Amino acid sequence: MGSLNATVAPFTTSNVIPWFRTFWALAASGFRRYSTYRQATVAGIVTNTVFGFLRCYVLLAVAGAAGTAGGYDRPQLATFVWVGQGLLTVVLLWGWTELADRIRTGDVTADLLRPVHPVTAYLATDLGRAGHAALARLLPPVVVAPFFFELYLPTRWPTVLLFAGSATAAVVICFACRYLVNATAYWLADVRGPLVLWTLGSGVLCGLYFPLRFLPEWLYQALWIATPFPSLLQTPLDVLVERDPAPVQVALVAVQAGWVVVLLAACRWVQRRAERRLAVQGG
């Protein structure tokens, strides 16, 4: 089969309301879809909680008698770990191969025939998934942690709003990164290589295993500016524990907003390039 291009209506002022209705419907369907996996949700909560204890004790041991490490005090480290355990599933670093699977089987052609752009459709569904994860996977670790550890509570009221915006931006950035990794299936017969590289690199560079501020200042600042990885977990967690003054917090969220624009544009560009050369296997 020759190249196949999606027919997508242009985004104009006359179709803004229908566009948002469609986007909301897709997000709601994503929420409902993931809310059906109740046993997986419970198993994930238990796993995240267990690893929360392990990671928290390790970082508190790093802080040692001094009570600080990398500029974080003990309550900040505990909050960093436990909220990070919940955010891990909200941003969904790993485990999403739906686009790559549909490209491999040829089912992606159905996506290209729909009136909604594939990037928009997958993003809306992913935001719905993230909404469910925020309720089912983020809240339980945060509720459990105060019974065993002293957590840090923000002292500036704008921090809560900044954290919500930062976490939302992290979800979109992570979606875009996963989309780009999956889109390599348009050119590669086997995407396991890019997926492994993404799994290894994202976990280390996003601040999951340890706060990036444990690294030399020149290194973590370069990572923050030159790569989107710190925006996935490190930035929202630093905003929450108020690691920096308010102006720096705003600047960090602004960096995230920049990555949102750049990466979503990259997703659409890659999708256009892929549609020009797509040939369905066996067609």
Side-chain angles (χ1 to χ4, degrees):
M1 181 181 294
S3 61
L4 180 62
N5 294 316
T7 303
V8 182
F11 190 77
T12 63
T13 55
S14 62
N15 60 17
V16 169
I17 294 178
W19 185 90
F20 275 107
R21 287 176 178 171
T22 302
F23 193 90
W24 175 257
L26 290 170
S29 70
F31 186 98
R32 291 192 300 270
R33 172 184 173 184
Y34 284 88
S35 66
T36 60
Y37 303 128
R38 297 182 181 87
Q39 291 182 340
T41 298
V42 173
I45 291 172
V46 173
T47 302
N48 282 0
T49 302
V50 171
F51 276 94
F53 280 103
L54 295 175
R55 291 185 58 224
C56 195
Y57 281 124
V58 168
L59 287 185
L60 292 180
V62 171
T68 61
Y72 303 90
D73 59 25
R74 297 175 72 87
Q76 286 176 319
L77 285 174
T79 303
F80 191 100
V81 168
W82 284 99
V83 178
Q85 285 298 112
L87 276 181
L88 175 61
T89 307
V90 175
V91 301
L92 192 64
L93 280 179
W94 313 309
W96 188 76
T97 60
E98 182 175 348
L99 176 61
D101 293 338
R102 291 179 67 81
I103 294 171
R104 178 177 55 82
T105 61
D107 293 338
V108 71
T109 54
D111 299 333
L112 302 180
L113 294 174
R114 296 185 178 118
V116 181
H117 195 282
V119 175
T120 301
Y122 279 108
L123 173 60
T125 303
D126 197 66
L127 288 175
R129 174 208 57 77
H132 173 264
L135 296 175
R137 300 292 294 272
L138 174 59
L139 291 182
V142 175
V143 171
V144 169
F147 290 99
F148 303 93
F149 302 95
E150 179 185 0
L151 299 185
Y152 180 87
L153 296 178
T155 59
R156 302 188 293 263
W157 69 265
T159 294
V160 177
L161 297 178
L162 281 174
F163 172 72
S166 180
T168 302
V171 172
V172 178
I173 292 170
C174 191
F175 158 78
C177 291
R178 286 185 278 109
Y179 193 97
L180 292 173
V181 173
N182 274 248
T184 59
Y186 283 116
W187 290 270
L188 303 177
D190 191 341
V191 298
R192 284 179 293 181
L195 287 173
V196 169
L197 290 176
W198 163 254
T199 300
L200 295 176
S202 61
V204 174
L205 299 178
C206 77
L208 173 63
Y209 301 137
F210 57 87
L212 294 180
R213 292 178 191 260
F214 284 9
L215 300 172
E217 182 176 356
W218 65 268
L219 180 54
Y220 76 71
Q221 287 184 351
L223 288 173
W224 235 306
I225 296 173
T227 75
F229 294 110
S231 295
L232 302 178
L233 279 180
Q234 182 75 38
T235 295
L237 294 176
D238 273 358
V239 167
L240 180 63
V241 302
E242 297 178 333
R243 179 63 176 75
D244 303 290
V248 178
Q249 288 180 309
V250 174
L252 292 176
V253 177
V255 170
Q256 285 184 292
W259 279 115
V260 166
V261 174
V262 169
L263 290 174
L264 287 182
C267 288
R268 284 181 168 264
W269 180 79
V270 168
Q271 185 64 38
R272 285 197 302 270
R273 291 292 301 271
E275 289 169 8
R276 294 172 184 171
R277 66 157 326 268
L278 177 63
V280 180
Q281 295 182 13

